[in-house]
Amino acid sequence: MLASCGNHQQKTTAKYTATEVEQANQVVKYYDTSLALLKNVVVETSVNSVLEYMEQPNKSSILTEIKPPVFSQKDSAYVVNPGTYFNEEIRQDLKQNYSQLFKVRKRFYANFNQYLSDLKANNKAAADKLLPANYQLSIEMSEYKENILDMLAPFTDEAQKILLNDNSMKEQLLSMKQMTATMQSILNLSMNKPAPDDVRLNMKLAKLVIQLDIAKRLPAVDGHPKEMKAFQDFLSDVEAFIKDVQRIYSEGNYTDTDMATLAEYGMSLN
């Protein structure tokens, strides 16, 4: 609804060339593809299920194998070869982080299947060594995922400014997109086992608080009461999200109920 607003407004003089608009489209396409791909490459619930199974001292049942979540090979080939709409440095960083992410993910699930084989062979000593290894790999997966999203953020923000140039709700839309991305990162980090990355989580939470404060100061856009109401409702949700994360973090114990609470926010961001 917000995105459609402004379509009937008188067009202002274009500030960007056709080339700049096309490059902005390519950046957003790359970001959207990355976002969709990363949700399947690193599925926090799947990673945690593996780790939780490995943590159990006594298994009620022995699994035979687990297959990692499926992701698009076409999209993976696309993201490891970013185009010239990014500078050379960021292109190399994206390639490196994606390549490492895929390697670490493969090792994580291979370790788990080896763990199951060791259990089946009654080689508990060998199996036990794989849990700390997979803890480390799970941390690395999360780091590569966040690195990629952090690298893309400034380029995506600038691209969206160009594409929303003639939209009267431009500033509100941009702030919503930025806060949504930050909230998603916080959700991902909160689910890390054996414990969240405190430094990165605190930085993201502080960033979201600042983004919310800036968004609250944006002037109302005349002639769009429904869109402004939707924007204000979104800000209320962000404020509630911040309070929940701060409460859970201060208690220092991420219970199943807490995770369910955060998961509800995650559903609204998808």
Side-chain angles (χ1 to χ4, degrees):
M1 178 173 66
L2 285 175
S4 65
C5 129
N7 291 343
H8 301 295
Q9 302 297 309
Q10 184 176 1
K11 297 278 186 178
T12 59
T13 302
K15 296 180 181 178
Y16 304 102
T17 66
T19 299
E20 289 173 319
V21 172
E22 176 56 25
Q23 288 182 332
N25 274 312
Q26 291 299 321
V27 169
V28 171
K29 178 184 176 183
Y30 184 94
Y31 173 77
D32 288 343
T33 303
S34 289
L35 199 61
L37 180 69
L38 289 171
K39 286 181 179 180
N40 290 324
V41 172
V42 184
V43 182
E44 283 75 15
T45 52
S46 172
V47 171
N48 287 349
S49 293
V50 167
L51 294 174
E52 286 167 5
Y53 185 86
M54 296 176 75
E55 289 169 344
Q56 295 175 19
N58 299 308
K59 310 292 190 290
S60 57
S61 61
I62 301 297
L63 299 176
T64 56
E65 184 183 17
I66 186 170
K67 293 184 178 180
V70 177
F71 62 88
S72 169
Q73 296 299 315
K74 179 181 177 181
D75 287 348
S76 65
Y78 171 71
V79 297
V80 296
N81 290 289
T84 54
Y85 36 87
F86 294 117
N87 61 49
E88 184 60 28
E89 181 181 0
I90 202 72
R91 290 173 68 192
Q92 291 302 319
D93 286 345
L94 286 168
K95 288 180 183 180
Q96 181 179 4
N97 276 270
Y98 263 120
S99 296
Q100 290 299 113
L101 174 59
F102 293 137
K103 289 179 182 177
V104 169
R105 180 186 191 266
K106 184 176 181 180
R107 286 170 54 197
F108 176 85
Y109 286 101
N111 273 4
F112 183 56
N113 286 326
Q114 182 60 51
Y115 173 85
L116 296 176
S117 296
D118 290 340
L119 285 184
K120 188 176 180 180
N122 292 319
N123 191 348
K124 189 174 184 302
D128 287 344
K129 293 179 181 178
L130 293 170
L131 177 56
N134 263 12
Y135 274 143
Q136 180 58 37
L137 292 173
S138 71
I139 292 170
E140 291 178 22
M141 281 193 287
S142 177
E143 288 177 346
Y144 287 126
K145 181 176 180 177
E146 289 303 312
N147 287 346
I148 291 166
L149 294 176
D150 286 347
M151 281 188 284
L152 290 176
F155 292 91
T156 307
D157 288 348
E158 186 58 33
Q160 288 170 339
K161 287 179 184 178
I162 294 173
L163 299 179
L164 291 170
N165 185 45
D166 294 327
N167 195 307
S168 56
M169 294 286 291
K170 173 182 176 179
E171 296 303 323
Q172 285 77 8
L173 284 166
L174 288 172
S175 68
M176 290 173 70
K177 289 176 182 293
Q178 290 165 356
M179 284 185 284
T180 297
T182 306
M183 290 169 71
Q184 189 63 65
S185 287
I186 291 171
L187 288 171
N188 295 341
L189 292 168
S190 297
M191 297 181 69
N192 284 358
K193 288 178 71 66
D197 181 340
D198 288 349
V199 174
R200 205 160 197 167
L201 183 58
N202 278 328
M203 289 177 61
K204 294 285 185 177
L205 194 55
K207 180 180 180 180
L208 184 59
V209 169
I210 293 171
Q211 288 173 332
L212 177 61
D213 183 62
I214 293 172
K216 285 181 174 180
R217 298 172 187 270
L218 292 175
V221 179
D222 294 334
H224 299 284
K226 291 183 179 179
E227 291 84 353
M228 285 304 303
K229 174 63 166 56
F231 177 64
Q232 293 300 327
D233 289 345
F234 179 84
L235 297 187
S236 296
D237 288 342
V238 174
E239 192 162 18
F241 174 82
I242 290 172
K243 289 179 179 178
D244 275 333
V245 174
Q246 288 174 332
R247 173 186 58 79
I248 294 169
Y249 187 70
S250 66
E251 292 171 354
N253 182 25
Y254 289 74
T255 65
D256 291 341
T257 302
D258 292 332
M259 290 298 98
T261 298
L262 294 182
E264 290 179 6
Y265 289 105
M267 291 173 63
S268 67
L269 295 178
N270 292 329

